[in-house]
Amino acid sequence: MSESDSTRSFRVQLQSLFRLHGGQLRLSEALAKGINRYQFYQLRDEGLIEPVSRGLYRLADLPPIENPDLVAAITRFPHAVLCLISALAWHGITTQIPHQVHLAVERDARLPVLDYPPVAGYRFSGRSFSEGIAQVTVDGITLQVYNPEKTLADCFKFRNRIGMDVVLEALELYRTRKTFLPGKLMEYARICRVANVMAPYVEAKL
């Protein structure tokens, strides 16, 4: 087999490996499959694959990534959960444009830190972290995000950091854009220990 045939065969093999993983592959996964680092980077230098975030690559002929900041943060911190203003924006219940990716981690975990995209990390404990998590797909990657009701309870809990005006706007947009579930709202309010704070505002929307 000539060198060109060998190179062509390798390209087909590696591209097939990418497609088996939904078009995205970590360098560590490729190395575990027997692809050497030089071959992998050669594919990158030829423009056949492109970096998504550190260590993660995708086929260049895939459709453009719609949420590059989210994808970069998710792949770097796969156990974190999208929360607060980022979760409000995901659910379409805020007019705020997040200037950071807001991520929740368990109480004993290291806070996520990233220069780009900028990440704001928050520690949640017990059920405040584990309850209300939904899994969605963003550009082929699984994202964990709190559901709208849990997100609103979290926003009341962190109202001094994100602003009460932002919280009340989100509650009103939730009432008009989503199915209004006061019982579910108060369930998460109790989990987040803000039931006394939230109750008057929720009752006012009934």
Side-chain angles (χ1 to χ4, degrees):
M1 182 181 289
S2 68
E3 179 64 28
S4 60
D5 288 339
S6 175
T7 301
R8 190 177 303 115
S9 175
F10 156 71
R11 286 199 188 101
V12 171
Q13 176 191 359
L14 188 49
Q15 286 176 301
S16 297
L17 186 59
F18 266 86
R19 296 191 193 284
L20 283 173
H21 288 77
Q24 299 184 135
L25 190 68
R26 293 185 179 279
L27 172 59
S28 59
E29 293 171 331
L31 296 177
K33 297 288 185 180
I35 305 297
N36 70 51
R37 194 179 298 267
Y38 170 77
Q39 292 172 319
F40 193 92
Y41 286 141
Q42 185 179 21
L43 212 62
R44 178 201 63 186
D45 294 343
E46 292 174 359
L48 296 175
I49 61 175
E50 60 187 11
V52 175
S53 64
R54 191 173 71 177
L56 179 68
Y57 293 79
R58 71 196 299 266
L59 291 171
D61 60 2
L62 292 176
I65 293 177
E66 295 181 5
N67 299 278
D69 287 357
L70 281 184
V71 168
I74 295 161
T75 53
R76 187 69 181 277
F77 308 106
H79 301 298
V81 185
L82 201 67
C83 67
L84 298 173
I85 295 177
S86 292
L88 292 178
W90 175 264
H91 293 300
I93 51 175
T94 186
T95 60
Q96 302 293 311
I97 299 173
H99 298 295
Q100 299 172 300
V101 180
H102 294 252
L103 296 175
V105 296
E106 292 188 87
R107 181 179 57 188
D108 297 329
R110 179 179 296 179
L111 281 174
V113 177
L114 198 60
D115 290 333
Y116 188 83
V119 167
Y122 301 83
R123 287 192 178 97
F124 288 17
S125 60
R127 295 180 67 201
S128 291
F129 176 78
S130 62
E131 295 290 331
I133 297 175
Q135 292 193 333
V136 296
T137 301
V138 180
D139 295 308
I141 294 177
T142 299
L143 160 72
Q144 296 190 112
V145 57
Y146 288 117
N147 64 36
E149 294 79 16
K150 172 60 163 54
T151 298
L152 283 166
D154 289 334
C155 287
F156 270 93
K157 185 171 185 176
F158 287 90
R159 61 193 180 278
N160 292 334
R161 290 181 64 174
I162 68 175
M164 196 62 181
D165 56 332
V166 174
V167 179
L168 295 181
E169 179 204 48
L171 181 61
E172 175 60 20
L173 290 175
Y174 166 79
R175 187 183 69 83
T176 58
R177 296 181 180 179
K178 304 289 184 181
T179 301
F180 187 61
L181 301 171
K184 193 172 183 180
L185 280 171
M186 293 310 301
E187 174 189 348
Y188 288 114
R190 286 186 287 274
I191 290 171
C192 295
R193 299 180 181 179
V194 289
N196 291 339
V197 176
M198 277 186 67
Y201 296 100
V202 173
E203 290 169 2
K205 301 296 180 184
L206 296 176

